[in-house]
Every structure is written in structure tokens, then in C-alpha cells.
Amino acid sequence: MTTEKIPDIIIGRLPIYLRALQRLSDQGIQTTSSQDLGEVVGISAAQIRKDISQFGEFGKQGTGYSIAYLIEKLKDILKMDRVWEVIIVGMGDIGHALAHYNGFANRGFHVSMVFDNDPKKVGKTVGDFRVLDTASMIEKIKQHKIKVAVLTVPATSAQEAADLLVKAGIKAILNYAPISINVPEDVKVQYVDPVTHLQRMTYYL
Amino acid sequence: MTTEKIPDIIIGRLPIYLRALQRLSDQGIQTTSSQDLGEVVGISAAQIRKDISQFGEFGKQGTGYSIAYLIEKLKDILKMDRVWEVIIVGMGDIGHALAHYNGFANRGFHVSMVFDNDPKKVGKTVGDFRVLDTASMIEKIKQHKIKVAVLTVPATSAQEAADLLVKAGIKAILNYAPISINVPEDVKVQYVDPVTHLQRMTYYL
């Protein structure tokens, strides 16, 4: 099985399939078809078959996909066969919400540290975490070999914080700050900005 | 100018351009090129030229784009030439964070009401809002002719809440619940799920 050169748009759909399959599995369902899965995720059956076939032959004509097997394969492809340590940078409202979020643990991620540069926040407790000083961030990231960060600082601080993360060896940044950040080519960035998501929809209204 | 049949992937990039252009404008910059804008947003100059040309002829060879003019046109295309009233459904951690978020107002959206179905939360104050009972939601949405909702309820309640929103006439849902929801074809959904965003990046690590 080769996982090279799969278009990014397909990679983007695989976590959606995985999430839906895990939910079906939680409900005790053991097999599914591209039609059924398509109805759950709102993607056409043909698209699902095409996406999944990129990675090998998973289903049998007429019997559908084994959910357990497909989950295992998707986890393998998405490197979810391990737990990724994650840090959160910025303990504002969104940082707080994510520090309290209990949906990471069973889906392949574990928040190991949270940071802020505000002396009023450093040392305080947020959920299960003691807030660490951003000044120690590079050292701590390197020490724990962390590769994944969630950035929840204000837009005005986002590039500076991203530069520190890159310097420390972070390779994937989930950026909640409403600003595009510049990083080297080998660092991946995903954006969460409620306004751009909303604007993408109002076009159609 | 026709805005029909523009691929969704292009529509998805326009808010990113708009956000970057507004930032440049805030910095007092008046013109930009597809190269400069591309460096800001991390998208190739050729792609930017191609995307923007879908909507008409905006730049002049050699002089670049007028930022003010391009902002105006993008706002027009994305229907940001008005303010959209938005409701937030679910006053958990993320709902709280969004109710306090001050980044909607200057980018075309205004949160007008927030809802929860928990009697312990209904009637309480969150930021500038009094939490309203979900039981009154359909009536209030219809009364105020609201078309846009942010859904921040748990996964287990998301479909039920989405059904209510659709029934009330909502046409765009920004869904923070980590589950795919089924809605009629004329209702748009965008998803924010930190885990699927992270999984999309770990593939490349």
C-alpha cells in the first residue's frame, strides 16, 4: 500500500470517515456500505468508494466494509495508531475551552502542557494543567519531542508564537488566531476561524 | 459579473483573502500584488490571480490590486455588505468562549441570542447575553428571521438541535459538535472539530 501523493482534499475527508465509523462502532454496528456511510457524513457513495480505494481494497462487493477493519486501516493511514502529545499555547477563552475538552483522549491526542506569557496566568491551574510560561516553551517542547501544537493566542501574537513553535521543532499547528501565519514548508497549519467558516456559507444565502 | 457555479473550494479561499486584505488595510497599506498577498496567506500568486479573476477584472498589470476596491468586491461577493445576525446554541465551554469573542462585530456578524436547554443555565448571563431556553428557539429564530447559527452542543444532542434549527428556517450552521449532521440540501454546514483538523495534519508527520 502506498500512501504517497494522495491529494490533500482526500486526506481531509478521511478523519470525517473515521469519526463516523467510530460512532457506528460505538453503536454496535459491525459493517457498513459506502451508501450508508455516505448518508451519515453527507458525501456521495461514489466519492467514498473512490477515496477509500486509494489506499487499497477494503470492501467486498455485496457485503460492504467491515467497520473494525476500516477503522484500523484509517487509523494506520492517519497515524492514529499512536497517541500524539499536543501543547496548547494561549490560555484565553478558547484555550480554556480546549484545555477542558475531553474529546482528545479517545481520538489519538493527549494535551500534555499549556502555555501563556501573561504573568497573571502563569502558574495558575486550568483544568488538569498548570499554566507554563511561554519563556520555557522551546526548551519544554524539545525536551518532550512534541510535534503538534494548538495556537490560541490573539492575532497580534500569532506569528511570533508560531516562530517559537517552529524553532522548537513543532511540525503541525492548529491555529485558532484569526490570521494567516507563515511557516516553513515542512510545517503543516490548519485554521479554525469562525468568521471565515461563516463567510464561506453566507455566499450561498 | 456572474457569481454562479464558482467551485466551493474557491469560495472557501475568498474569506482568507478578505481577512488578509483587511489586515493590510488596517496597517495603512493601499495596494498589493498577487505575489505579496500570496506570501501573506501561503497560497501561490497564480492561484490567487486565477481565483480573483473568476469574479471579474480587479488588478492592472504592473500596478497591482487596490486593497480597498478588492475588499469591497470580496465583501460584495461573500454578502458581507450587511451584518448577519447569528445565534449560538449550547453554552458549554466553547459556547461561552464564542459568546465572549469580540471578533465577529467588525467582520460582518452579530451574535443576537444564545440558547441552552439546561435549566441551570437558562436565564443566567454569559458575556452580554441572557441565556434563552432552547424551547423558545424556533419561535425566536422565526420572529427575528435569523438564518445563521453556531452549534456548540454535545455530539449526542447535535442532530436534534440541528433539526430544530432547520425547522426554524436556519440556512447556515457552523457545527462545533464532533459529529456529522444531516440537513436538507439548501442548508449549508461547516465543521469545526479540533481532532479532525489535527488528524489531517498528522498524516504528513
Side-chain angles (χ1 to χ4, degrees), chain B residues 21 48 185 205:
Chain B
L21 289 164
I48 289 175
E185 270 197 15
L205 298 187

Side-chain angles (χ1 to χ4, degrees), chain A residues 30-70:
Chain A
Q30 294 185 337
T31 59
T32 190
S33 63
S34 47
Q35 282 79 7
D36 290 349
L37 184 57
E39 275 175 35
V40 172
V41 297
I43 295 172
S44 76
Q47 183 71 67
I48 289 175
R49 279 195 300 273
K50 202 174 151 196
D51 287 353
I52 289 177
S53 71
Q54 298 261 353
F55 301 97
E57 198 55 63
F58 289 114
K60 280 180 197 155
Q61 192 69 34
T63 62
Y65 301 111
S66 154
I67 289 176
Y69 184 70
L70 198 48

Side-chain angles (χ1 to χ4, degrees), chain B residues 89-132:
Chain B
V89 186
M91 281 293 112
D93 288 325
I94 287 285
H96 266 83
L98 291 172
H100 285 105
Y101 183 55
N102 62 10
F104 289 116
N106 58 347
R107 295 172 68 197
F109 296 92
H110 174 254
V111 178
S112 54
M113 295 181 283
V114 307
F115 292 90
D116 203 288
N117 66 357
D118 182 347
K120 291 197 212 77
K121 292 179 181 170
V122 172
K124 295 279 162 63
T125 299
V126 175
D128 297 334
F129 306 98
R130 195 168 62 86
V131 180
L132 302 174

Side-chain angles (χ1 to χ4, degrees), chain A residues 194-205, chain B residues 8 11 15 18 74-86 107-110 147-149 171-173 188-190:
Chain A
V195 176
T196 55
H197 287 295
L198 289 171
Q199 289 174 340
R200 183 169 185 165
M201 295 190 285
T202 48
Y203 169 79
Y204 296 96
L205 296 188
Chain B
D8 185 59
I11 299 304
L18 178 58
L74 284 173
K75 279 186 167 179
D76 191 39
I77 292 162
L78 293 167
K79 302 191 185 143
M80 289 293 111
D81 49 351
R82 75 206 73 176
V83 173
W84 291 90
E85 297 294 331
V86 178
R107 295 172 68 197
F109 296 92
H110 174 254
K147 297 293 168 206
V148 183
K171 296 294 177 195
I173 299 173
K188 290 282 165 184
V189 182
Q190 286 273 306

Side-chain angles (χ1 to χ4, degrees), chain A:
Chain A
M1 180 178 73
T2 172
T3 57
E4 296 298 320
K5 291 184 194 160
I6 305 291
D8 185 58
I9 194 152
I10 296 181
I11 299 304
R13 285 191 289 263
L14 300 185
I16 312 296
Y17 301 155
L18 178 58
R19 185 174 67 181
L21 289 164
Q22 283 177 318
R23 187 158 290 269
L24 293 173
S25 174
D26 290 347
Q27 291 165 1
I29 300 168
Q30 294 185 337
T31 59
T32 190
S33 63
S34 47
Q35 282 79 7
D36 290 349
L37 184 57
E39 275 175 35
V40 172
V41 297
I43 295 172
S44 76
Q47 183 71 67
I48 289 175
R49 279 195 300 273
K50 202 174 151 196
D51 287 353
I52 289 177
S53 71
Q54 298 261 353
F55 301 97
E57 198 55 63
F58 289 114
K60 280 180 197 155
Q61 192 69 34
T63 62
Y65 301 111
S66 154
I67 289 176
Y69 184 70
L70 198 48
I71 287 174
E72 192 190 317
K73 285 294 169 186
L74 284 173
K75 281 187 166 179
D76 190 40
I77 291 161
L78 293 166
K79 300 192 187 144
M80 289 294 111
D81 49 350
R82 74 205 76 177
V83 174
W84 291 90
E85 297 294 331
V86 177
I87 61 162
I88 303 174
V89 186
M91 280 295 110
D93 288 325
I94 289 284
H96 266 83
L98 291 172
H100 285 106
Y101 183 56
N102 63 11
F104 288 118
N106 58 347
R107 294 173 68 198
F109 296 92
H110 174 254
V111 177
S112 52
M113 296 181 281
V114 307
F115 293 89
D116 203 287
N117 65 358
D118 182 347
K120 289 197 213 77
K121 291 179 181 169
V122 172
K124 295 278 162 62
T125 299
V126 175
D128 296 334
F129 306 99
R130 196 169 61 86
V131 180
L132 303 173
D133 192 333
T134 311
S136 69
M137 194 165 71
I138 291 186
E139 181 199 329
K140 290 218 161 63
I141 291 171
K142 283 185 175 173
Q143 190 187 331
H144 295 277
K145 297 189 172 58
I146 290 168
K147 298 292 166 206
V148 183
V150 180
L151 192 55
T152 56
V153 300
T156 45
S157 318
Q159 185 61 54
E160 193 187 343
D163 291 344
L164 288 179
L165 293 174
V166 168
K167 203 169 165 187
I170 291 289
K171 297 295 176 194
I173 299 173
L174 178 54
N175 180 23
Y176 280 76
I179 185 172
S180 297
I181 54 174
N182 293 308
V183 296
E185 271 197 15
D186 67 331
V187 178
K188 290 283 164 185
V189 183
Q190 285 274 304
Y191 291 92
V192 173
D193 175 355
V195 176
T196 55
H197 287 295
L198 289 171
Q199 289 174 340
R200 183 169 185 165
M201 295 190 285
T202 48
Y203 169 79
Y204 296 96
L205 296 188

